[in-house]
Amino acid sequence: MREHNLKIGVSGIRGVVGEFLTPSLACAFARAFGTFVGAGRVVLGRDTRQSGQMLQHAVSCGLLSAGCGVVDVGIQPTPTLQVYVGATRARGGISITASHNPPEYNALKLFNGEGLFFNHYERRELLDLYYQSSFHNAANAEIGRITRDEETPRRMHIERVLRHVDAERIRARRFRTALDGVNGAGSQLSCQFLERSLGCRLSAISVDPTKPFPREAEPRPDTLGELRDLVRRENAEIGFGQDPDGDRLAVADETGRILDNDDVLALVVDAVLARLPGDVVVNLSSSSSIDDIAAAHGRRCYRTPVGEANVVEMMRAVKAVIGGEGSNGGIIFPAVQYCRDSYTGMAFLLDLMERTGLPVSALAARLPKYYRRSGKVAFEHGRLGPIMQALEEQFPEAAADRSDGLKLTVADGWIAVRASNTEPLMRMAVEAKSEEAAESMYREVVKLVS
Amino acid sequence: MTAGNQLRISQVGLRGVVGRGLEASHVIDFASAFGTFLEGAGPVVLGRDPRASGTMMREGVVAALLATGHDVLDLGIVSTPVLQHAIRARDAAGGISIGASHNAAEWNALKFFAARGTYLSTAEASELLDIYNLRKFHFREYRELGTLRHDHTALDPYLDELADFYDMTALGKLKAVVDCCNGTSSLILRRMRERFGLNLILINEQIEGVSFAHEPAINPRTVSLQLAPLVAPLGADAGFLFDIDSDRVAIATERGDAVSEEMVLPMLADYLLPRGFGKLVITNLSTTALIDEIAARHNGKLIRVPVGRQASMDALATYRPEQISIAGEGTGAVMMPQFRFVYDGIASMLAVLSLRLERGLPLSEIVSGYPRYSILKGEVPLVAHRIPHLLMELQRTYSDGVADVRDGLRVAWPGRWFHVRVSQTEPLVRVICEQRGDPPTALFEALMEQVRSMA
């Protein structure tokens, strides 16, 4: 297989720092971005990766040379940056983060003036500017300044989140919480948020933004062993695990068990719908439990292809009040910002615990029960199509959705296969009402794929 | 200046009009080449002049140096001599100065320094250019990247060194007016006023990024603009004008007369040669012959080298520092062994004031006390392939003089010389002609005529 160490595409630029992701490349991309958004302020922030500082200066150079001013917000969770971009009416924003990818990677996440991912047409336009090197080159008198503002984004973000939960009552409960911040951009904000804003008692690990990632960056059951131990040792009522740029959230219950990300999303959807009237949008590989919860609240659940931008686009179209992506721990709550936001997730879970008086394990047990299996195999060009055809033949009675790979919905569950947007992988997921059904369907898929 | 692509890449670095030739990619690539070229463990020291584009260039330079594995020490807005001092004081691996010195505000440039704080030698500069042209950069993996630190404490140690050599208390008796031209000199001079009680009146002292009060060139014309008319009314003993990065100085007398930039080196040699350092004076082939007389007066030895910073740096490298008294050009750029062979306008100003104090005479009388030389300068657009023919013709025409062919053609007679050479930075032939006493008008006209006929 070819090494995918650099990816330049409609979702931006991502790669291994050094040989592939160089300062010249980052600068050139920022010049295209600055040319695209036009002269004005662009907000620039980063996660805690060791290459962040280097790339920040390269991006800043490119933005200034295109005639933009730079608002340097320093180390900042991506959702926090997005809130700030939208609230301050900047021309756009760039977050230097490879999110949950390993530490040798970095990437630029690009946002428009509302703090949202660019839509498909905008991304194509930006990419054209980059490939054609048609950049605006500001003369001395047009060159903007760099200003710094690290505190306002955090304050704004927290204020917005707290508006939607009963912070007073959460504080009164003095919840015992645990946190694994992966030494990421959210490390310090999360401590401040849980301890000061929500009055929790907090036991935190990996909250030093100057240190490297102590574990694999993606927060998953198999990477959060330390959080599990911490919850048990400290008798915490809930544990939170973040990714390096604070958009994804994983949760441990009071026994230390790491919840399935789909269950976390389902709980938050339930908590939000209990407070706000409106519909739900999730991607097509999120659990059917979310449809059930929406239905229980008399609301609709819409499905979109995988990818935050897709979910957000649909949420805006149907004016959804909550949405997200189950598999990757993304909770999107538009009243704060159209973005994946771990802070909204934490607040609503604590709110739910406070209102129901139930422990997390009991809240999870109340969810509609589905059994899920998922896996991934190396992607090879030209293989997905035949696999999709074979699957369809295998399950002739299923309803097929081809908006992103193939999703087949059968009587008591569904099967989805698709190509990853960010990695050279093919992902497979299966869900069913019974464990046996899930197992047997997953075996069918694996047989076809291998 | 022509409107086309205003970018120059040469052994002295990268220079151009920002956004009209000089782009972010040039900055990143050139700094990446330097980061790849530099060996040695210390940090790379970085400073800039106040041009608005300096921020953009700084960002690109920092990114490239971090990416090539170097720690960066950013001094912020400082003069080039202060930066060069810091390179040695901090045991740095090298340094980069962002600033376009005497050019207009639209310009900017990168200048590169070795670990000793001096400009790169010709061999080093060639290697840097090769790396740049091949784009063979050594970008490090994420664990080997450098880190950035800011440091705003470079000025005082630099001033300590000046105060060791000059008698600041005595100099406090003199009054000087200084035109800072909105550049870095104002930061230094304000601090000198504060620390040493020097009597300095500053004009155009506000640091400016976009529009300077006037063109920051070092010559009698710019001195006459705002500075010269102020010196006498303010009762000052002298007037000084600095370019943006303070590596050169121009002078006005107490009467408000602009002194030729050619006079700076002879006056400083006159002050320094008797002070016990070496006896060598190094200058280029185009510099006034007054320097020959001054050197001879103090038993000094004059060494002339081709024009340009590289030739001077290479010549300096062939002598022990203690052999040298002074080195410089007729442009007002002078370096002294006491200050690590760095072109330093502030150190030059202090030497002129010290000379003034030592002689006890008004500056105008000191200047008029030197034998009078008259210099004429002209330039003609170049047609490259006819240059060799032109020079051979000239050599034949003026075969009665002493010819020097190391940089174009210089021919000298007693009390008179001319130099015809090709500019390194612009497509021009330069003609310079000097005579003791009255201007050598006839010779100059004849030379210009002959050069024009070839163009």
Side-chain angles (χ1 to χ4, degrees), chain B residues 310-369:
Chain B
Q310 288 313 136
S312 307
M313 296 318 304
D314 292 346
L316 278 171
T318 61
Y319 299 99
R320 292 192 313 277
E322 58 270 25
Q323 290 179 279
I324 297 165
S325 171
I326 192 166
E329 308 173 345
T331 57
V334 176
M335 53 174 96
M336 314 175 207
Q338 292 85 349
F339 307 113
R340 313 155 314 281
F341 299 112
V342 162
Y343 288 127
D344 188 342
I346 301 284
S348 301
M349 175 189 82
L350 293 172
V352 171
L353 288 173
S354 300
L355 176 71
R356 157 72 186 74
L357 207 60
E358 183 182 70
R359 296 290 155 86
L361 291 172
L363 194 56
S364 60
E365 285 182 33
I366 296 175
V367 173
S368 61

Side-chain angles (χ1 to χ4, degrees), chain B residues 179-259:
Chain B
D179 184 347
C180 302
C181 199
N182 310 111
T184 56
S185 62
S186 84
L187 302 173
I188 304 168
L189 297 169
R190 279 186 222 161
R191 181 70 184 138
M192 287 173 75
R193 230 166 25 187
E194 204 173 85
R195 264 188 74 178
F196 308 122
L198 295 189
N199 194 351
L200 302 171
I201 300 163
L202 309 185
I203 64 168
N204 301 321
E205 67 168 312
Q206 191 64 39
I207 290 286
E208 248 299 324
V210 173
S211 57
F212 302 139
H214 55 78
E215 190 198 343
I218 295 293
N219 58 46
R221 195 181 56 77
T222 52
V223 171
S224 305
L225 290 175
Q226 296 182 3
L227 173 67
L230 286 174
V231 184
L234 288 170
D237 298 289
F240 297 96
L241 179 146
F242 293 96
D243 60 353
I244 302 299
D245 66 352
S246 315
D247 63 351
R248 291 196 224 173
V249 68
I251 305 168
T253 68
E254 84 289 351
R255 293 167 47 180
D257 298 319
V259 178

Side-chain angles (χ1 to χ4, degrees), chain B residues 267-438:
Chain B
M267 287 168 74
L268 263 58
D270 198 21
Y271 178 72
L272 285 170
L273 272 167
R275 309 202 102 72
F277 278 79
K279 285 293 175 193
L280 298 182
V281 176
I282 298 178
T283 191
N284 67 44
L285 293 167
S286 282
T287 306
T288 177
L290 174 59
I291 191 71
D292 298 67
E293 283 197 50
I294 303 279
R297 194 182 288 176
H298 298 288
N299 299 317
K301 181 165 184 279
L302 187 72
I303 294 160
R304 287 195 184 265
V305 297
V307 174
R309 195 162 70 202
Q310 288 313 136
S312 307
M313 296 318 304
D314 292 346
L316 278 171
T318 61
Y319 299 99
R320 292 192 313 277
E322 58 270 25
Q323 290 179 279
I324 297 165
S325 171
I326 192 166
E329 308 173 345
T331 57
V334 176
M335 53 174 96
M336 314 175 207
Q338 292 85 349
F339 307 113
R340 313 155 314 281
F341 299 112
V342 162
Y343 288 127
D344 188 342
I346 301 284
S348 301
M349 175 189 82
L350 293 172
V352 171
L353 288 173
S354 300
L355 176 71
R356 157 72 186 74
L357 207 60
E358 183 182 70
R359 296 290 155 86
L361 291 172
L363 194 56
S364 60
E365 285 182 33
I366 296 175
V367 173
S368 61
Y370 291 113
R372 186 165 85 97
Y373 278 80
S374 303
I375 200 161
L376 297 172
K377 300 181 183 181
E379 57 194 35
V380 179
L382 156 99
V383 183
H385 67 278
R386 307 195 66 171
I387 297 293
H389 182 60
L390 165 70
L391 295 174
M392 282 163 71
E393 283 287 302
L394 287 172
Q395 199 172 348
R396 235 188 324 273
T397 313
Y398 300 99
S399 56
D400 56 333
V402 180
D404 185 322
V405 296
R406 286 175 295 163
D407 179 14
L409 175 67
R410 185 183 195 268
V411 178
W413 301 268
R416 195 154 67 116
W417 61 270
F418 77 80
H419 188 194
V420 175
R421 58 180 288 272
V422 185
S423 163
Q424 287 173 344
T425 52
E426 285 158 277
L428 290 174
V429 174
R430 295 191 195 281
V431 178
I432 302 160
C433 192
E434 193 192 47
Q435 184 167 267
R436 201 174 200 274
D438 291 332

Side-chain angles (χ1 to χ4, degrees), chain A residues 18 31 53-54 57 60 137 140, chain B residues 23 52-53 59 63 105 140 148 209:
Chain A
R31 292 170 78 187
Q53 189 178 44
M54 181 275 281
H57 289 285
S60 175
N137 287 307
N140 186 57
Chain B
E23 297 183 11
S53 62
E59 293 300 296
R140 308 298 181 121
L148 168 69

